[in-house]
Amino acid sequence: MTAILDPHEVRTTSLVQRHAITMQPDGRRVVIKLFVPGEDTQVVQNRASRLIERVLQLDEDEIGRLVDDVMTRFSGRHHDLLHTFQHHYDLVHHRVPADVELSPNARTLIGAYFSHEYSVESAALCNPSMVPHPDQSGLGPGQLRVAISLRQIGEGHISSIGFCSAILGPNDGIRLEDRAGPLVISERTGARHQRDLLAAGLAELEIDNELTCSVLGSLPERYDDEEFEEVLGHLPGELLSRPTTGETLGVLRELVATDYAVTFPATVPLHQRVLWPATPAESNGMEDARFVQVVEDDGRISYQATYTAYDGRQIGGRMLHTRDLRHFEVTALRGPAARNKGVALFPRPVNGRHLALCRSDGETLGLSERDESNRWQEAVPLLMPHRGWDLIQVGNCGSPIETDAGWLVLTHGVGPMRRYVIGAMMLDLEHPERVIADLPHGLLDPDEIEREGYVPNVVYSCGGLLHGGRLWLPYGASDVRVGFASIPLGRLLDAMVVVP
């Protein structure tokens, strides 16, 4: 194991190697979304009926020509375009007069008029995290295929989660794999909800009445939407007649709807998958996903990620769980430590404790433990702003990375002119609330090229990993590009200072 330096032996030279490859936003990466004319204005005036009336006045020959033209222009840009048009038609078909029999072409054309393309990363591409890819086939000695999550931002500053892959090694080699082809938004599927998370959500809202107690007492530990509605349908009349019942039922349904599940067809490769906002609470974005490969209580390997749900006014912490990066379960993060951005999960329990890094007060990096009720408890402070380059706030740049020397934590600090710098610290392996070493200067800061962009003077990462004795770090630069850096782990440890 490489020794960590004494405080008097600090090196201030540049440590990290920036790699030549970068990823830029690509406006050709588009998804197809429902479009309802008039509903994008401040004063909502739905124009759907009038549009359908105009389509119905077209003759079949004109309808056929329009459908052929749309398919010629757009079919190569999307998976199963006809299916999407049919789905969008189904969403508005109630506006078609009941006595009108439409041809398949007419239904397709109406679906096309109620569709539009959205460029998922037209505004920005940033804040990646990196985990081992589920598929390690076809690699040479010393190579590792990694899955990279991306925060992609489009029109209206709406964030979604995208993916790509790369091959690391041997040595300091890195190669991005192809990310071309049509994108696919995940489809909702049946979710299995957790009773303790519903109870935690009610506790946060300070709602405790006979109706909520009855519901919690009637639900199994895991339940689906149908079972939930069945419990509500069998509530005693005496409880349903109370004046607060309508409001309480609304809150219960809203809390349950927060948790959901999505899936992708098995034929869609990772780089074509898009996790798109699926609930009102995340309607303005799914921000800064911190993915980590974890060892579960039963010893199985899976992936988890935390991200920030944003509705344009409020934020909320969310967690993704997946075994294959294809089927995802989404649940709310509950508890005092989950009330701000930047929760990052440890990759395994530590002495039976489920731990996470957080920044619950908005400016201090802390350590939180999840209790038996699935609530993240008040954080123990680990790092407070105390240096010129981090006096505004400090936080993490992804989940802790386990090494022989301790838990390596990549940090970020914010200084004058809101300039972000990535740093590093080390936590004790058995007692992570103990900081045992710190990098006294920045590991990576925005250079003269990286400082220019959508959000200037920022470098930021949501997680790296170790491979081949090197720390590999994907990072966003000023929210307009993604870069890659690496450093031999021993060199990083040598630059760290022991914390008394």
Side-chain angles (χ1 to χ4, degrees):
M1 182 178 72
T2 305
I4 296 174
L5 278 186
D6 181 83
H8 302 292
E9 301 177 29
V10 175
R11 290 190 293 178
T12 58
T13 57
S14 177
L15 296 173
V16 73
Q17 172 186 348
R18 283 176 166 90
H19 296 271
I21 61 171
T22 58
M23 297 175 60
Q24 306 284 345
D26 186 348
R28 297 170 298 179
R29 292 176 64 78
V30 294
V31 295
I32 188 166
K33 300 290 297 173
L34 178 70
F35 169 66
V36 181
E39 288 193 349
D40 55 351
T41 59
Q42 281 189 326
V43 179
V44 175
Q45 183 180 10
N46 192 294
R47 307 198 308 265
S49 293
R50 294 198 297 275
L51 172 58
I52 288 176
E53 289 174 4
R54 291 194 285 270
V55 175
L56 295 179
Q57 293 173 9
L58 301 174
D59 62 45
E60 273 303 314
D61 288 343
E62 179 65 10
I63 288 174
R65 284 193 294 271
L66 288 169
V67 169
D68 288 344
D69 181 67
V70 169
M71 296 304 296
T72 298
R73 293 178 184 272
F74 294 97
S75 60
R77 294 163 65 90
H78 302 281
H79 283 279
D80 204 353
L81 191 59
L82 280 175
H83 172 78
T84 302
F85 287 160
Q86 180 62 53
H87 175 60
H88 288 176
Y89 167 78
D90 290 341
L91 295 177
V92 299
H93 82 278
H94 53 272
R95 294 188 178 273
V96 177
D99 59 343
V100 174
E101 184 68 28
L102 291 177
S103 68
N105 265 353
R107 293 194 293 269
T108 297
L109 185 60
I110 290 174
Y113 277 113
F114 283 89
S115 303
H116 75 129
E117 286 188 331
Y118 182 90
S119 181
V120 295
E121 57 190 57
S122 58
L125 187 68
C126 56
N127 301 358
S129 68
M130 178 186 286
V131 291
H133 198 291
D135 177 14
Q136 295 296 323
S137 61
L139 301 180
Q143 291 186 324
L144 175 73
R145 179 174 289 112
V146 293
I148 301 168
S149 70
L150 301 161
R151 179 181 174 184
Q152 43 197 24
I153 306 173
E155 178 190 4
H157 200 81
I158 297 176
S159 299
S160 57
I161 300 172
F163 300 95
C164 67
S165 60
I167 295 177
L168 308 181
N171 302 318
D172 63 353
I174 177 172
R175 173 171 60 87
L176 287 176
E177 296 193 295
D178 178 38
R179 69 183 196 120
L183 303 182
V184 174
I185 293 175
S186 53
E187 295 183 0
R188 291 286 288 265
T189 186
R192 297 290 293 173
H193 305 287
Q194 298 175 228
R195 184 181 59 202
D196 57 0
L197 284 177
L198 176 58
L202 290 168
E204 286 185 357
L205 296 173
E206 298 182 345
I207 298 177
D208 179 16
N209 55 44
E210 296 311 308
L211 191 146
T212 59
C213 286
S214 178
V215 170
L216 291 173
S218 301
L219 287 171
E221 183 178 345
R222 297 294 295 263
Y223 60 94
D224 59 24
D225 293 332
E226 185 176 337
E227 291 170 313
F228 173 70
E229 289 298 332
E230 184 177 353
V231 167
L232 296 189
H234 287 83
L235 288 169
E238 293 87 346
L239 296 181
L240 292 174
S241 63
R242 297 189 173 207
T244 59
T245 293
E247 181 180 352
T248 301
L249 288 175
V251 171
L252 283 167
R253 286 192 169 99
E254 185 177 343
L255 288 173
V256 170
T258 297
D259 301 339
Y260 62 93
V262 295
T263 192
F264 294 91
T267 55
V268 175
L270 178 66
H271 67 274
Q272 295 179 7
R273 301 171 192 170
V274 174
L275 291 171
W276 183 262
T279 67
E282 58 193 29
S283 55
N284 261 62
M286 305 167 73
E287 302 180 355
D288 300 344
R290 288 163 160 81
F291 274 83
V292 61
Q293 189 181 65
V294 302
V295 179
E296 298 190 351
D297 293 339
D298 60 6
R300 290 194 293 177
I301 299 296
S302 66
Y303 302 92
Q304 293 181 359
T306 58
Y307 69 91
T308 302
Y310 181 51
D311 67 2
R313 294 177 296 112
Q314 296 179 318
I315 62 171
R318 298 290 184 270
M319 187 174 82
L320 292 163
H321 177 273
T322 177
R323 297 194 187 280
D324 54 8
L325 299 179
R326 188 173 76 86
H327 178 81
F328 296 83
E329 296 177 353
V330 181
T331 55
L333 293 170
R334 301 295 184 189
R339 291 174 184 161
N340 212 310
K341 297 183 176 184
V343 175
L345 305 170
F346 276 63
R348 63 169 177 84
V350 180
N351 295 323
R353 304 160 65 200
H354 294 272
L355 303 174
L357 302 173
C358 65
R359 200 185 67 217
S360 53
D361 67 354
E363 60 182 24
T364 303
L365 178 61
L367 178 74
S368 175
E369 181 175 355
R370 193 183 73 195
D371 67 14
E372 294 180 354
S373 299
N374 228 331
R375 290 167 52 86
W376 292 98
Q377 296 305 295
E378 292 284 354
V380 174
L382 296 175
L383 180 66
M384 301 180 68
H386 67 288
R387 297 167 290 203
W389 52 276
D390 68 9
L391 288 182
I392 293 179
Q393 69 187 46
V394 293
N396 68 74
C397 276
S399 293
I401 300 170
E402 187 169 6
T403 75
D404 290 340
W407 293 103
L408 174 62
V409 175
L410 297 170
T411 65
H412 71 262
V414 185
M417 292 296 290
R418 197 174 175 263
R419 185 174 184 265
Y420 277 65
V421 175
I422 294 176
M425 62 189 297
M426 191 72 73
L427 309 179
D428 185 272
L429 273 180
E430 298 300 320
H431 304 282
E433 60 275 7
R434 290 178 49 206
V435 179
I436 59 175
D438 184 41
L439 187 66
H441 50 80
L443 176 66
L444 189 72
D445 61 349
D447 64 19
E448 289 306 303
I449 295 175
E450 294 168 344
R451 68 178 299 184
E452 309 294 353
Y454 188 54
V455 182
N457 306 304
V458 172
V459 288
Y460 193 88
S461 178
C462 288
L465 54 72
L466 292 178
H467 172 63
R470 300 180 73 89
L471 168 67
W472 293 88
L473 181 63
Y475 63 96
S478 298
D479 282 11
V480 292
R481 67 187 67 84
V482 170
F484 297 87
S486 70
I487 178 176
L489 178 62
R491 184 185 301 171
L492 175 58
L493 296 182
D494 284 345
M496 286 184 147
V497 174
V498 172
V499 174

Short mmCIF file of all heavy atoms in Angstrom, two decimals, residues 353-399:
data_model
loop_
_atom_site.label_atom_id
_atom_site.label_comp_id
_atom_site.label_asym_id
_atom_site.label_seq_id
_atom_site.Cartn_x
_atom_site.Cartn_y
_atom_site.Cartn_z
N ARG A 353 -23.81 -1.14 8.34
CA ARG A 353 -24.44 0.18 8.23
C ARG A 353 -24.54 0.57 6.76
O ARG A 353 -23.56 0.47 6.02
CB ARG A 353 -23.62 1.23 8.99
CG ARG A 353 -23.39 0.90 10.45
CD ARG A 353 -22.20 1.69 10.99
NE ARG A 353 -22.46 3.12 11.00
CZ ARG A 353 -21.51 4.06 11.05
NH1 ARG A 353 -20.22 3.69 11.06
NH2 ARG A 353 -21.82 5.32 11.06
N HIS A 354 -25.72 1.06 6.36
CA HIS A 354 -25.92 1.60 5.01
C HIS A 354 -25.65 3.10 5.07
O HIS A 354 -26.35 3.84 5.77
CB HIS A 354 -27.34 1.32 4.53
CG HIS A 354 -27.62 -0.14 4.32
ND1 HIS A 354 -27.36 -0.80 3.14
CD2 HIS A 354 -28.11 -1.09 5.17
CE1 HIS A 354 -27.69 -2.06 3.24
NE2 HIS A 354 -28.14 -2.27 4.47
N LEU A 355 -24.62 3.53 4.34
CA LEU A 355 -24.12 4.90 4.47
C LEU A 355 -24.19 5.65 3.15
O LEU A 355 -24.23 5.05 2.06
CB LEU A 355 -22.66 4.87 4.96
CG LEU A 355 -22.40 4.15 6.29
CD1 LEU A 355 -20.91 4.08 6.57
CD2 LEU A 355 -23.14 4.85 7.42
N ALA A 356 -24.19 6.97 3.26
CA ALA A 356 -24.17 7.83 2.08
C ALA A 356 -23.51 9.15 2.44
O ALA A 356 -23.60 9.62 3.58
CB ALA A 356 -25.58 8.09 1.56
N LEU A 357 -22.85 9.73 1.46
CA LEU A 357 -22.38 11.10 1.58
C LEU A 357 -23.54 12.03 1.24
O LEU A 357 -24.43 11.68 0.46
CB LEU A 357 -21.22 11.36 0.63
CG LEU A 357 -19.99 10.47 0.79
CD1 LEU A 357 -19.00 10.75 -0.34
CD2 LEU A 357 -19.33 10.69 2.14
N CYS A 358 -23.54 13.21 1.80
CA CYS A 358 -24.62 14.15 1.51
C CYS A 358 -24.14 15.58 1.78
O CYS A 358 -23.04 15.80 2.30
CB CYS A 358 -25.86 13.84 2.35
SG CYS A 358 -25.60 14.07 4.13
N ARG A 359 -24.99 16.52 1.42
CA ARG A 359 -24.75 17.94 1.71
C ARG A 359 -26.08 18.53 2.16
O ARG A 359 -26.64 19.41 1.51
CB ARG A 359 -24.20 18.66 0.46
CG ARG A 359 -23.49 19.96 0.77
CD ARG A 359 -23.07 20.68 -0.50
NE ARG A 359 -24.21 21.15 -1.25
CZ ARG A 359 -24.32 21.17 -2.58
NH1 ARG A 359 -23.33 20.71 -3.31
NH2 ARG A 359 -25.39 21.63 -3.17
N SER A 360 -26.59 18.01 3.27
CA SER A 360 -27.95 18.33 3.68
C SER A 360 -28.13 19.79 4.08
O SER A 360 -29.23 20.32 4.01
CB SER A 360 -28.38 17.42 4.84
OG SER A 360 -27.44 17.45 5.90
N ASP A 361 -27.04 20.45 4.51
CA ASP A 361 -27.17 21.87 4.88
C ASP A 361 -26.83 22.79 3.72
O ASP A 361 -26.83 24.01 3.87
CB ASP A 361 -26.29 22.21 6.08
CG ASP A 361 -24.79 22.10 5.77
OD1 ASP A 361 -24.44 21.65 4.66
OD2 ASP A 361 -23.98 22.47 6.64
N GLY A 362 -26.52 22.23 2.56
CA GLY A 362 -26.24 23.04 1.38
C GLY A 362 -24.79 23.45 1.21
O GLY A 362 -24.42 23.93 0.15
N GLU A 363 -23.95 23.26 2.25
CA GLU A 363 -22.57 23.74 2.11
C GLU A 363 -21.53 22.84 2.76
O GLU A 363 -20.34 23.07 2.57
CB GLU A 363 -22.46 25.14 2.70
CG GLU A 363 -22.81 25.26 4.17
CD GLU A 363 -22.73 26.69 4.68
OE1 GLU A 363 -22.84 27.59 3.83
OE2 GLU A 363 -22.55 26.89 5.89
N THR A 364 -21.93 21.80 3.48
CA THR A 364 -20.98 20.96 4.20
C THR A 364 -21.12 19.52 3.72
O THR A 364 -22.23 19.00 3.58
CB THR A 364 -21.24 21.01 5.71
OG1 THR A 364 -21.17 22.36 6.15
CG2 THR A 364 -20.22 20.16 6.47
N LEU A 365 -20.00 18.85 3.48
CA LEU A 365 -20.00 17.44 3.13
C LEU A 365 -20.16 16.62 4.40
O LEU A 365 -19.38 16.77 5.35
CB LEU A 365 -18.71 17.07 2.41
CG LEU A 365 -18.53 15.60 2.01
CD1 LEU A 365 -19.63 15.16 1.05
CD2 LEU A 365 -17.17 15.38 1.38
N GLY A 366 -21.18 15.76 4.42
CA GLY A 366 -21.45 14.98 5.61
C GLY A 366 -21.66 13.51 5.30
O GLY A 366 -21.72 13.09 4.15
N LEU A 367 -21.78 12.70 6.38
CA LEU A 367 -21.99 11.27 6.29
C LEU A 367 -23.29 10.93 6.99
O LEU A 367 -23.50 11.30 8.15
CB LEU A 367 -20.84 10.51 6.96
CG LEU A 367 -20.95 8.99 6.99
CD1 LEU A 367 -20.69 8.41 5.61
CD2 LEU A 367 -19.98 8.40 8.02
N SER A 368 -24.18 10.21 6.28
CA SER A 368 -25.48 9.86 6.83
C SER A 368 -25.64 8.34 6.84
O SER A 368 -25.08 7.63 6.00
CB SER A 368 -26.61 10.50 6.01
OG SER A 368 -27.88 10.06 6.47
N GLU A 369 -26.44 7.85 7.78
CA GLU A 369 -26.76 6.44 7.89
C GLU A 369 -28.26 6.25 7.69
O GLU A 369 -29.07 7.02 8.20
CB GLU A 369 -26.35 5.89 9.25
CG GLU A 369 -26.62 4.42 9.41
CD GLU A 369 -26.09 3.85 10.73
OE1 GLU A 369 -25.42 4.61 11.47
OE2 GLU A 369 -26.35 2.67 11.02
N ARG A 370 -28.62 5.19 6.95
CA ARG A 370 -30.03 4.87 6.73
C ARG A 370 -30.55 4.00 7.87
O ARG A 370 -29.93 2.99 8.21
CB ARG A 370 -30.21 4.15 5.40
CG ARG A 370 -31.66 4.05 4.93
CD ARG A 370 -31.74 3.25 3.66
NE ARG A 370 -31.50 1.82 3.91
CZ ARG A 370 -31.22 0.93 2.97
NH1 ARG A 370 -31.08 1.31 1.71
NH2 ARG A 370 -31.04 -0.34 3.28
N ASP A 371 -31.67 4.40 8.47
CA ASP A 371 -32.19 3.64 9.60
C ASP A 371 -33.11 2.52 9.13
O ASP A 371 -33.31 2.31 7.94
CB ASP A 371 -32.89 4.57 10.61
CG ASP A 371 -34.17 5.21 10.05
OD1 ASP A 371 -34.68 4.76 9.00
OD2 ASP A 371 -34.66 6.16 10.69
N GLU A 372 -33.69 1.80 10.08
CA GLU A 372 -34.54 0.66 9.75
C GLU A 372 -35.83 1.07 9.07
O GLU A 372 -36.51 0.25 8.46
CB GLU A 372 -34.85 -0.13 11.03
CG GLU A 372 -33.63 -0.80 11.66
CD GLU A 372 -33.96 -1.56 12.91
OE1 GLU A 372 -35.13 -1.47 13.36
OE2 GLU A 372 -33.06 -2.25 13.45
N SER A 373 -36.19 2.34 9.16
CA SER A 373 -37.40 2.86 8.51
C SER A 373 -37.11 3.45 7.14
O SER A 373 -37.95 4.15 6.58
CB SER A 373 -38.07 3.91 9.41
OG SER A 373 -38.45 3.36 10.64
N ASN A 374 -35.91 3.20 6.62
CA ASN A 374 -35.53 3.67 5.29
C ASN A 374 -35.38 5.18 5.22
O ASN A 374 -35.60 5.78 4.16
CB ASN A 374 -36.52 3.18 4.22
CG ASN A 374 -35.82 2.58 3.02
OD1 ASN A 374 -34.70 2.95 2.70
ND2 ASN A 374 -36.47 1.66 2.34
N ARG A 375 -35.02 5.79 6.33
CA ARG A 375 -34.82 7.24 6.37
C ARG A 375 -33.34 7.54 6.58
O ARG A 375 -32.68 6.91 7.42
CB ARG A 375 -35.65 7.88 7.51
CG ARG A 375 -37.13 7.87 7.25
CD ARG A 375 -37.92 8.21 8.50
NE ARG A 375 -37.47 9.44 9.13
CZ ARG A 375 -37.89 10.67 8.80
NH1 ARG A 375 -38.78 10.80 7.82
NH2 ARG A 375 -37.46 11.73 9.43
N TRP A 376 -32.83 8.50 5.81
CA TRP A 376 -31.44 8.92 5.94
C TRP A 376 -31.34 9.95 7.05
O TRP A 376 -31.93 11.02 6.98
CB TRP A 376 -30.92 9.47 4.61
CG TRP A 376 -30.81 8.38 3.58
CD1 TRP A 376 -31.70 8.08 2.60
CD2 TRP A 376 -29.74 7.44 3.45
NE1 TRP A 376 -31.26 6.99 1.87
CE2 TRP A 376 -30.06 6.58 2.36
CE3 TRP A 376 -28.55 7.23 4.14
CZ2 TRP A 376 -29.23 5.54 1.96
CZ3 TRP A 376 -27.72 6.18 3.74
CH2 TRP A 376 -28.05 5.36 2.66
N GLN A 377 -30.57 9.61 8.07
CA GLN A 377 -30.54 10.39 9.30
C GLN A 377 -29.64 11.62 9.18
O GLN A 377 -28.88 11.78 8.23
CB GLN A 377 -30.08 9.51 10.45
CG GLN A 377 -31.04 8.37 10.74
CD GLN A 377 -32.45 8.86 11.00
OE1 GLN A 377 -32.70 9.56 11.98
NE2 GLN A 377 -33.37 8.52 10.11
N GLU A 378 -29.74 12.49 10.19
CA GLU A 378 -28.92 13.71 10.24
C GLU A 378 -27.46 13.35 10.01
O GLU A 378 -26.95 12.37 10.55
CB GLU A 378 -29.08 14.41 11.58
CG GLU A 378 -30.44 15.02 11.83
CD GLU A 378 -30.67 16.31 11.06
OE1 GLU A 378 -29.71 16.79 10.41
OE2 GLU A 378 -31.79 16.83 11.09
N ALA A 379 -26.78 14.17 9.22
CA ALA A 379 -25.42 13.85 8.79
C ALA A 379 -24.38 14.23 9.85
O ALA A 379 -24.55 15.22 10.58
CB ALA A 379 -25.12 14.57 7.49
N VAL A 380 -23.33 13.43 9.89
CA VAL A 380 -22.13 13.78 10.66
C VAL A 380 -21.21 14.59 9.74
O VAL A 380 -20.86 14.12 8.66
CB VAL A 380 -21.40 12.50 11.13
CG1 VAL A 380 -20.08 12.86 11.81
CG2 VAL A 380 -22.29 11.68 12.04
N PRO A 381 -20.81 15.80 10.11
CA PRO A 381 -19.95 16.60 9.22
C PRO A 381 -18.60 15.93 8.98
O PRO A 381 -17.97 15.41 9.91
CB PRO A 381 -19.77 17.92 9.98
CG PRO A 381 -20.91 17.96 10.96
CD PRO A 381 -21.18 16.53 11.33
N LEU A 382 -18.16 15.94 7.72
CA LEU A 382 -16.85 15.42 7.35
C LEU A 382 -15.91 16.53 6.89
O LEU A 382 -14.73 16.52 7.22
CB LEU A 382 -16.98 14.38 6.23
CG LEU A 382 -17.74 13.10 6.52
CD1 LEU A 382 -17.86 12.27 5.24
CD2 LEU A 382 -17.05 12.29 7.61
N LEU A 383 -16.42 17.44 6.09
CA LEU A 383 -15.60 18.49 5.50
C LEU A 383 -16.42 19.75 5.42
O LEU A 383 -17.51 19.77 4.85
CB LEU A 383 -15.13 18.07 4.10
CG LEU A 383 -14.26 19.05 3.33
CD1 LEU A 383 -12.90 19.25 4.04
CD2 LEU A 383 -14.03 18.58 1.89
N MET A 384 -15.87 20.83 5.99
CA MET A 384 -16.54 22.13 5.95
C MET A 384 -15.73 23.08 5.08
O MET A 384 -14.51 22.92 4.94
CB MET A 384 -16.68 22.70 7.36
CG MET A 384 -17.47 21.81 8.30
SD MET A 384 -17.62 22.50 9.96
CE MET A 384 -18.67 23.91 9.62
N PRO A 385 -16.35 24.08 4.48
CA PRO A 385 -15.59 25.08 3.72
C PRO A 385 -14.56 25.76 4.63
O PRO A 385 -14.90 26.26 5.70
CB PRO A 385 -16.67 26.07 3.26
CG PRO A 385 -17.96 25.31 3.32
CD PRO A 385 -17.81 24.36 4.46
N HIS A 386 -13.30 25.70 4.21
CA HIS A 386 -12.27 26.30 5.07
C HIS A 386 -11.06 26.79 4.29
O HIS A 386 -10.12 27.32 4.88
CB HIS A 386 -11.82 25.30 6.14
CG HIS A 386 -11.09 24.11 5.60
ND1 HIS A 386 -11.72 23.11 4.89
CD2 HIS A 386 -9.78 23.76 5.66
CE1 HIS A 386 -10.83 22.18 4.55
NE2 HIS A 386 -9.64 22.55 4.99
N ARG A 387 -11.06 26.63 2.94
CA ARG A 387 -9.92 27.06 2.15
C ARG A 387 -10.39 28.07 1.11
O ARG A 387 -11.57 28.11 0.76
CB ARG A 387 -9.25 25.86 1.48
CG ARG A 387 -8.66 24.87 2.48
CD ARG A 387 -8.27 23.56 1.83
NE ARG A 387 -9.43 22.79 1.42
CZ ARG A 387 -9.44 21.47 1.24
NH1 ARG A 387 -8.33 20.78 1.47
NH2 ARG A 387 -10.52 20.84 0.86
N GLY A 388 -9.47 28.83 0.60
CA GLY A 388 -9.85 29.89 -0.34
C GLY A 388 -10.63 29.38 -1.54
O GLY A 388 -11.54 30.07 -2.02
N TRP A 389 -10.36 28.17 -2.00
CA TRP A 389 -11.02 27.68 -3.20
C TRP A 389 -12.30 26.91 -2.90
O TRP A 389 -12.95 26.40 -3.81
CB TRP A 389 -10.07 26.80 -4.02
CG TRP A 389 -9.39 25.69 -3.28
CD1 TRP A 389 -8.26 25.77 -2.53
CD2 TRP A 389 -9.80 24.32 -3.21
NE1 TRP A 389 -7.93 24.55 -2.00
CE2 TRP A 389 -8.85 23.63 -2.41
CE3 TRP A 389 -10.85 23.59 -3.76
CZ2 TRP A 389 -8.94 22.27 -2.13
CZ3 TRP A 389 -10.94 22.22 -3.49
CH2 TRP A 389 -9.99 21.58 -2.69
N ASP A 390 -12.73 26.85 -1.62
CA ASP A 390 -13.98 26.13 -1.32
C ASP A 390 -14.83 26.83 -0.26
O ASP A 390 -15.66 26.18 0.39
CB ASP A 390 -13.68 24.69 -0.90
CG ASP A 390 -12.97 24.56 0.45
OD1 ASP A 390 -12.84 25.57 1.17
OD2 ASP A 390 -12.55 23.44 0.80
N LEU A 391 -14.67 28.13 -0.07
CA LEU A 391 -15.35 28.82 1.03
C LEU A 391 -16.86 28.93 0.83
O LEU A 391 -17.59 29.17 1.80
CB LEU A 391 -14.75 30.21 1.24
CG LEU A 391 -13.36 30.26 1.86
CD1 LEU A 391 -12.91 31.70 2.06
CD2 LEU A 391 -13.32 29.50 3.18
N ILE A 392 -17.36 28.79 -0.39
CA ILE A 392 -18.81 28.88 -0.60
C ILE A 392 -19.49 27.59 -0.19
O ILE A 392 -20.46 27.60 0.58
CB ILE A 392 -19.13 29.21 -2.08
CG1 ILE A 392 -18.65 30.64 -2.39
CG2 ILE A 392 -20.63 29.09 -2.34
CD1 ILE A 392 -18.89 31.05 -3.83
N GLN A 393 -18.99 26.45 -0.67
CA GLN A 393 -19.56 25.17 -0.29
C GLN A 393 -18.61 24.05 -0.71
O GLN A 393 -17.76 24.23 -1.58
CB GLN A 393 -20.92 24.93 -0.96
CG GLN A 393 -20.84 24.71 -2.46
CD GLN A 393 -22.20 24.64 -3.13
OE1 GLN A 393 -23.07 25.47 -2.87
NE2 GLN A 393 -22.39 23.66 -4.00
N VAL A 394 -18.78 22.91 -0.05
CA VAL A 394 -18.07 21.70 -0.45
C VAL A 394 -19.10 20.57 -0.57
O VAL A 394 -20.16 20.61 0.04
CB VAL A 394 -16.97 21.31 0.56
CG1 VAL A 394 -15.85 22.32 0.56
CG2 VAL A 394 -17.56 21.13 1.96
N GLY A 395 -18.76 19.59 -1.38
CA GLY A 395 -19.65 18.45 -1.58
C GLY A 395 -18.87 17.31 -2.19
O GLY A 395 -17.64 17.36 -2.32
N ASN A 396 -19.58 16.26 -2.60
CA ASN A 396 -18.90 15.12 -3.20
C ASN A 396 -18.98 15.17 -4.72
O ASN A 396 -19.81 15.86 -5.29
CB ASN A 396 -19.50 13.81 -2.68
CG ASN A 396 -20.93 13.59 -3.16
OD1 ASN A 396 -21.16 13.26 -4.32
ND2 ASN A 396 -21.90 13.78 -2.28
N CYS A 397 -18.12 14.41 -5.35
CA CYS A 397 -18.16 14.18 -6.80
C CYS A 397 -18.38 12.69 -7.06
O CYS A 397 -17.65 12.05 -7.81
CB CYS A 397 -16.89 14.68 -7.48
SG CYS A 397 -16.91 16.44 -7.85
N GLY A 398 -19.37 12.14 -6.39
CA GLY A 398 -19.71 10.74 -6.59
C GLY A 398 -19.50 9.89 -5.37
O GLY A 398 -19.06 10.36 -4.31
N SER A 399 -19.83 8.62 -5.49
CA SER A 399 -19.76 7.68 -4.37
C SER A 399 -18.32 7.43 -3.95
O SER A 399 -17.39 7.51 -4.77
CB SER A 399 -20.40 6.36 -4.78
OG SER A 399 -21.79 6.51 -4.96
#
